[in-house]
Amino acid sequence: MIGLATVATFGILKSRVSAAPETDKNMKKRPELLIFDVNETLLDLKPLKESVAKALDGKTELVELWFTKMLHYSLVETVSGNYREFGEIGAAVMTMVARDHGMELSMEDAKEAIKPITSLPAHDDVKAGLQTLKDAGYRMITLTNSPQKGVDAQMENAGLTEFFEQRLSVGETGTYKPDLSTYRWAAEKMGVAAGDCMLVAAHGWDVAGALRAGMGAAFLARPGKSLYPLAPEPGLVAKDLQAAAEVLVAM
C-alpha cells in the first residue's frame, strides 16, 4: 500500500482509502484487472460535441443536456427490461432535445450528427498512461455502453487496440452501466473476482456503480467531471491517466 505522501509526488489530486468496504479492501493490493470506460475517459468527445451542437442549431449549451438525457434513457431501457443500442438512444434523445427547444430534427439527421463518435482521438495523456500500465504487466480491458462494432472502431481509429486484452460492450448483456450486474459480468467473463478489479473512469456515476458492485475504482478528474457525493469514495483520484498509472505501478 502506498502512502499519501508518495501519492502527492506523482501529481495526484487525492488518493485515499474510504471507510466503505468497497474501497478499503480493493486498495490494499494491486488490482488484477483494470477495466476502462471509453468515452471521455480515454477518448476526447470534442469532435462529437461539435457535430451535435451543429445539428442543434449551434446551441452548444444543449450538448451536455443531450448527453445526460442519453444516459438517462439508456437506464430507462434497462430498468424497463428492454435494450436499444446506445447510438439509437442518442439519436432519439437528440430529436427530443431539439423538439423541446423549438427545433425539428429527423432521426436520420440525428444519426448523422453522432457519426464522429467512432473516430474520436485519445486524450493526450492516454497512450503514455496505457503504455506505463502495460509495461508494468497490468491486464486491461474496456467496458462501454457503446455497441461492440462501435467500440472496436473507436479503439482502432484512436490507435489503442493493442493495449487491451478485450473490448467488452454491454450489448452482450443488454444491460447498461451502472447496473451492478454489468460490472460483475465483465469480471466473471475475464475470470477475475470483482474485488480484484478496478474500474478507471471519468464519470461519477460509473465509479459509483463499480464501487457498489464490489470493485475498486480510480476516478480521472477531467475538466468538468465530478464524483457523486452520495457514493462511496474511490481509492484513487487523479488528474489524468498518466498520473493514475504512476500510482498504480507503484502499488
Side-chain angles (χ1 to χ4, degrees):
M1 182 70 182
I2 54 178
L4 292 182
T6 304
V7 171
T9 66
F10 288 117
I12 298 303
L13 302 180
K14 61 178 179 175
S15 177
R16 59 180 179 270
V17 177
S18 167
E22 294 97 323
T23 49
D24 184 52
K25 67 180 180 180
N26 289 314
M27 283 300 291
K28 286 182 177 177
K29 62 180 181 178
R30 170 180 166 131
E32 290 184 25
L33 179 69
L34 298 178
I35 302 175
F36 286 82
D37 174 54
V38 174
N39 295 316
E40 292 193 294
T41 299
L42 298 175
L43 303 182
D44 186 349
L45 292 189
K46 184 179 179 181
L48 175 63
K49 290 180 177 180
E50 290 174 346
S51 181
V52 171
K54 183 178 179 180
L56 295 172
D57 285 355
K59 296 181 179 180
T60 57
E61 68 275 14
L62 297 181
V63 175
E64 193 63 34
L65 175 63
W66 163 72
F67 192 75
T68 300
K69 280 184 172 288
M70 180 165 59
L71 294 172
H72 174 87
Y73 279 97
S74 70
L75 292 180
V76 169
E77 293 287 338
T78 290
V79 299
S80 61
N82 195 40
Y83 176 77
R84 297 273 190 169
E85 284 193 350
F86 207 41
E88 186 177 6
I89 296 171
V93 167
M94 199 185 307
T95 67
M96 294 169 66
V97 171
R99 191 178 307 113
D100 290 346
H101 290 83
M103 295 172 270
E104 287 298 325
L105 183 68
S106 69
M107 276 289 287
E108 292 72 21
D109 287 342
K111 288 178 179 178
E112 187 67 26
I114 294 173
K115 282 186 176 180
I117 198 169
T118 61
S119 54
L120 300 172
H123 286 293
D124 292 341
D125 55 283
V126 165
K127 287 188 179 180
L130 291 175
Q131 189 63 58
T132 297
L133 293 167
K134 183 177 180 179
D135 291 344
Y138 270 103
R139 294 180 66 193
M140 298 184 288
I141 66 169
T142 61
L143 175 62
T144 177
N145 280 340
S146 298
Q148 191 66 56
K149 184 177 179 181
V151 68
D152 289 345
Q154 285 182 311
M155 293 296 97
E156 181 67 25
N157 291 332
L160 301 181
T161 301
E162 64 178 298
F163 294 108
F164 298 106
E165 185 176 332
Q166 292 257 9
R167 300 174 301 281
L168 302 185
S169 165
V170 302
E172 190 169 334
T173 67
T175 304
Y176 282 99
K177 295 188 295 177
D179 189 281
L180 304 190
S181 66
T182 305
Y183 303 97
R184 293 167 179 159
W185 163 77
E188 183 178 357
K189 187 174 181 69
M190 300 307 298
V192 181
D196 292 322
C197 298
M198 174 180 277
L199 178 80
V200 181
H203 299 286
W205 58 266
D206 210 357
V207 166
L211 290 171
R212 288 170 173 163
M215 293 182 175
F219 177 68
L220 302 189
R222 299 203 181 280
K225 300 302 171 187
S226 301
L227 287 166
Y228 177 45
L230 301 184
E233 292 185 5
L236 176 60
V237 177
K239 64 179 182 179
D240 59 30
L241 182 54
Q242 182 58 36
E246 290 169 354
V247 173
L248 288 166
V249 168
M251 288 182 69

